[in-house]
């Protein structure tokens, strides 16, 4: 029997150094006595912001999301800017034949990307991407399944039930592929 997803947050620990630096201006003797950034954050009662996750395990859409991801994910290599992970990035950098001396490497991050992808625009992006990279799958059916996943993202938090009405949940299997395709189109 399917269950709703569970909402939880994963702390963004990489944000701690800046939060601490901002909280300790000007420098205080406290900084010199504590041995770890975590001890310092705790002593200052600083908590990093959280990354909202909805566990998709055991949900109504878990297997559908896995199926969609099995179709979308192998196509991501067709995106010219796609980088799988740090190792892939380093390999791509090493393969560059020549980099101009005035070249500048730049990375970008979209704030709260998953929760800000409009359903209709995300589905259109997937439809166009699937059309360009013919997979042999019925594109209308895939887009109908994506729509179903997006519109049936029920979860619980503090004993109450909610439905996410915008974006896709971090925690559903298709979310990374879906977001990559949305950004690429």
């Amino acid at each position: 029997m399917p269950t709703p997803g569970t909402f939880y947050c994963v702390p963004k620990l990489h944000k701690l150094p800046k939060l601490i630096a901002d909280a300790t201006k000007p420098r205080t003797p406290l900084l010199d006595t504590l041995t770890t950034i975590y001890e310092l954050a705790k002593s200052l009662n600083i908590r990093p912001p959280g990354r909202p996750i909805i566990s998709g395990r055991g949900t109504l859409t878990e297997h559908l999301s896995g199926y969609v991801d099995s179709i979308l994910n192998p196509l991501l290599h067709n995106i010219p800017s796609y980088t799988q992970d740090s190792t892939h990035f380093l390999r791509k950098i090493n393969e560059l034949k020549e980099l101009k001396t005035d070249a500048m490497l730049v990375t970008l991050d979209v704030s709260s990307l998953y929760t800000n992808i409009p359903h209709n625009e995300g589905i259109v992006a997937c439809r166009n991407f699937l059309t360009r990279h013919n997979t042999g799958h019925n594109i209308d059916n895939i887009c109908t399944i994506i729509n179903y996943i997006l519109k049936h993202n029920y979860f619980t938090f503090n004993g109450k039930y909610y439905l996410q009405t915008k974006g896709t949940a971090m925690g559903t299997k298709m979310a990374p592929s879906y977001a990559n395709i949305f950004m690429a189109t």
Side-chain angles (χ1 to χ4, degrees), residues 35-106:
T35 58
T36 70
I37 195 166
Y38 305 108
E39 287 177 350
L40 182 56
K42 188 175 179 181
S43 72
L44 295 168
N45 200 25
I46 294 175
R47 291 190 177 95
R51 180 181 312 279
I53 308 286
I54 298 174
S55 170
R57 190 167 185 179
T59 64
L60 179 66
T61 61
E62 175 185 16
H63 297 296
L64 288 172
S65 186
Y67 172 69
V68 169
D69 188 53
S70 74
I71 294 167
L72 299 180
N73 190 281
L75 301 175
L76 296 181
H77 71 276
N78 292 308
I79 300 171
S81 61
Y82 175 71
T83 304
Q84 181 178 353
D85 53 27
S86 297
T87 303
H88 183 226
F89 171 76
L90 292 172
R91 191 170 55 249
K92 286 174 86 169
I93 290 296
N94 284 330
E95 290 171 358
L96 289 176
K97 300 292 182 217
E98 184 177 318
L99 201 58
K100 295 180 181 178
T101 56
D102 61 344
M104 183 183 315
L105 297 177
V106 178

Side-chain angles (χ1 to χ4, degrees), residues 112-176:
S112 302
L113 172 61
Y114 287 21
T115 57
N116 283 307
I117 300 172
H119 289 174
N120 289 340
E121 291 177 37
I123 294 167
V124 167
C126 287
R127 179 179 299 284
N128 293 340
F129 190 80
L130 287 166
T131 300
R132 276 195 313 276
H133 306 286
N134 187 354
T135 63
H137 292 91
N138 183 307
I139 295 170
D140 288 334
N141 288 347
I142 300 303
C143 291
T144 298
I145 294 170
I146 293 170
N147 185 56
Y148 184 86
I149 293 164
L150 295 171
K151 293 193 174 173
H152 289 83
N153 186 33
Y154 295 96
F155 63 94
T156 60
F157 178 70
N158 281 343
K160 293 184 180 179
Y161 292 86
Y162 297 90
L163 172 62
Q164 182 175 343
T165 58
K166 184 178 163 194
T168 187
M170 285 188 70
T172 189
K173 291 179 183 178
M174 71 160 205

